[in-house]
């Protein structure tokens, strides 16, 4: 059984950067697709980025060119580097593991979730 723990969230001004980490324990994530989602109160969980085991990536249009997903298999950790942050990026950010490589943009493709880390961007 794998456990996922996110960290790195916080309060940042618009235009700033944050790097989120998702540390996995209990089982390696190296062979799995990993994703980042975000959610604000009253809204559905929104796809942000995904990283396949072959290092392929996918991004939501809203974050393309600003966010970068990566992983360090030696540390069993997935990262989300977020640059040029905007107030609309404010959300609770979750990482998750997908047992299959698709459909990465849908939350129901993921079977394990972390508890989330809050990102707040002030204007």
């Amino acid at each position: 059984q794998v456990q996922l723990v996110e960290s790195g969230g916080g309060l940042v001004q618009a235009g700033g950067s944050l790097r989120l980490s998702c540390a996995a324990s209990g089982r390696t994530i190296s062979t799995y697709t990993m994703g980042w989602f975000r959610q604000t109160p009253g809204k559905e969980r929104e796809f942000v980025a995904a990283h396949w085991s072959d290092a392929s990536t996918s991004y939501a249009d809203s974050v393309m060119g600003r966010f970068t997903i990566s992983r360090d298999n030696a540390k069993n950790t997935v990262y989300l580097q977020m640059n040029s942050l905007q107030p609309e990026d404010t959300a609770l950010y979750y990482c998750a593991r997908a047992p299959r490589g698709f459909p990465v943009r849908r939350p129901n493709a993921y079977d394990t979730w972390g508890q989330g880390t809050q990102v707040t961007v002030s204007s």
Side-chain angles (χ1 to χ4, degrees), residues 64-77:
M64 182 79 71
R66 300 188 298 123
F67 291 12
T68 303
I69 188 171
S70 62
R71 73 168 78 191
D72 184 335
N73 287 330
K75 296 183 178 179
N76 220 26
T77 300

Side-chain angles (χ1 to χ4, degrees), residues 73-87:
N73 287 330
K75 296 183 178 179
N76 220 26
T77 300
V78 180
Y79 302 99
L80 185 68
Q81 177 67 43
M82 305 186 296
N83 299 329
S84 302
L85 283 162
Q86 299 302 316

Side-chain angles (χ1 to χ4, degrees), residues 4-75:
L4 303 174
V5 178
E6 301 95 335
S7 62
L11 174 63
V12 64
Q13 289 188 334
S17 299
L18 285 173
R19 188 176 81 154
L20 305 184
S21 298
C22 172
S25 62
R27 190 168 181 176
T28 181
I29 59 170
S30 63
T31 59
Y32 290 91
T33 300
M34 299 297 295
W36 283 96
F37 285 74
R38 63 188 182 186
Q39 190 170 23
T40 54
K43 293 189 176 181
E44 294 185 355
R45 200 161 291 191
E46 175 190 23
F47 170 77
V48 175
H51 189 284
W52 281 268
S53 59
D54 67 357
S56 301
T57 57
S58 178
Y59 296 94
D61 289 347
S62 59
V63 308
M64 182 79 71
R66 300 188 298 123
F67 291 12
T68 303
I69 188 171
S70 62
R71 73 168 78 191
D72 184 335
N73 287 330
K75 296 183 178 179

